[in-house]
Amino acid sequence: MSDSALRKMLRGETRLPVMPTVASRLLEFQNQPEAGLSELADIISLDVFLASTLLRYANSAAYNLASKVETVERAALVLGYKTVLDVALSLSLTKALAGQPGAHLDYNLFWQRSLLAAEAARVLGKAVKEKAIDELFLAALLQDIGMLALDRVRPDLYANLDVPQQQHQAMADYERRTLKFDHARFGAAVLQEWAMHDRTVKAVLESHSDHAEDDDQFAACVAASGVIADFFIAGGGDDAYALVSRELYRVFSIRDSQCMQIPVSYTHLTLPTIYSV
């Protein structure tokens, strides 16, 4: 499908929404180092869904607090300033696309992979000394946003999927066969429409690319984060680990002994149900 056809699909009968006001304000907030916790809480409180979701997570068993968290500002103290900012921004962006989901995309699996990839990108970014860790986390979290967008514009797309949704690369292959482009390209187009940072757009676009000969470490970390996420979704095992090990060595020259230090514990990631939008 040509670029003009892709743009036509972006502006088709089922129109994609503009960037939400809260997301736009959160992006501006990121560039204001002097802004504090109370200002962040004020922005998030403009969206009842965002505020209630963060409060629900802060009060979840994962934190086992003695007293109930009742304000967004307190939730930010419990979860961490950057975690709240990242989660609120990603929720605001994806909620705009997930208002009328089709019946065939597994949203819980989508969020599980997104969160695993984001955490993996953060750990991997630190290991390879990538400076823009926070932006890296967000780019990895949003790398599959094209799936939500496609599910909205083409709610029948995944009805005829002939592979399990746990096989992420196979799903991308199916999208290319059906549409002549995949969710990475469509997601990048959506983020570009929303005027997201060029580096984030490029990383999402190249999230299924081979970065062996690439000097773009930021985009390479996002692509590798998806491979690491798939390792956990597959339940681990020798074959899944071998794939992760090969990828990290091929792209970053991380040897097997170092590779063991990259995947972190994801037992605390109980967000998929909380993220359902």
Side-chain angles (χ1 to χ4, degrees):
M1 182 174 283
S2 66
D3 286 342
S4 60
L6 187 146
R7 286 195 297 271
K8 185 177 180 181
M9 187 172 172
L10 279 169
R11 300 184 174 92
E13 290 182 6
T14 307
R15 295 183 62 85
L16 293 174
V18 297
M19 178 181 284
T21 302
V22 170
S24 179
R25 292 188 63 176
L26 287 170
L27 283 172
E28 293 175 4
F29 183 85
Q30 282 187 317
N31 298 318
Q32 298 173 0
E34 72 283 358
L37 205 60
S38 60
E39 290 88 349
L40 175 60
D42 287 343
I43 296 173
I44 293 172
S45 296
L46 294 172
D47 188 314
V48 175
F49 169 79
L50 291 184
S52 61
T53 299
L54 288 168
L55 286 172
R56 193 158 68 250
Y57 186 49
N59 284 300
S60 68
Y63 289 90
N64 194 26
L65 298 175
S67 58
K68 185 177 180 180
V69 176
E70 296 183 345
T71 68
V72 174
E73 189 167 347
R74 170 67 175 154
L77 287 171
V78 171
L79 302 175
Y81 177 88
K82 284 306 302 176
T83 296
V84 166
L85 180 56
D86 291 334
V87 169
L89 180 54
S90 60
L91 270 175
S92 183
L93 291 173
T94 52
K95 183 167 74 90
L97 295 176
Q100 296 176 322
H104 307 288
L105 181 65
D106 186 336
Y107 270 53
N108 278 339
L109 179 62
F110 168 87
W111 278 117
Q112 183 184 31
R113 186 180 195 272
S114 297
L115 287 161
L116 289 171
E119 286 291 336
R122 195 197 299 275
V123 175
L124 179 59
K126 290 177 180 177
V128 299
K129 296 181 172 54
E130 168 60 45
K131 294 180 179 178
I133 296 295
D134 294 328
E135 187 183 344
L136 182 63
F137 178 93
L138 183 62
L141 190 67
L142 296 176
Q143 65 181 290
D144 294 329
I145 196 173
M147 285 184 162
L148 295 185
L150 286 171
D151 194 46
R152 178 159 180 161
V153 230
R154 288 282 302 272
D156 61 331
L157 174 63
Y158 298 111
N160 299 315
L161 187 66
D162 53 0
V163 295
Q165 293 194 31
Q166 290 84 352
Q167 297 180 16
H168 191 80
Q169 185 58 54
M171 285 188 72
D173 294 338
Y174 165 81
E175 292 161 353
R176 293 187 201 103
R177 291 195 306 270
T178 307
L179 303 171
K180 308 306 179 190
F181 63 87
D182 61 17
H183 63 269
R185 187 176 174 195
F186 197 64
V190 171
L191 295 180
Q192 190 168 44
E193 288 278 312
W194 284 351
M196 291 289 287
H197 194 288
D198 288 345
R199 181 163 53 182
T200 297
V201 173
K202 181 177 182 292
V204 170
L205 176 64
E206 298 176 357
S207 58
H208 286 277
S209 298
D210 183 339
H211 291 274
E213 304 299 326
D214 196 344
D215 59 358
D216 187 344
Q217 181 172 265
F218 183 92
C221 282
V222 171
S225 74
V227 177
I228 296 173
D230 290 335
F231 165 81
F232 286 96
I233 288 172
D238 292 341
D239 290 343
Y241 176 76
L243 179 61
V244 171
S245 181
R246 284 197 303 270
E247 185 71 5
L248 294 183
Y249 180 74
R250 183 180 67 83
V251 180
F252 303 104
S253 299
I254 294 176
R255 298 189 178 278
D256 191 66
S257 58
Q258 297 171 286
C259 181
M260 291 295 292
Q261 302 172 24
I262 300 300
V264 296
S265 172
Y266 295 97
T267 56
H268 66 291
L269 290 180
T270 57
L271 281 179
T273 54
I274 294 175
Y275 263 71
S276 299
V277 285

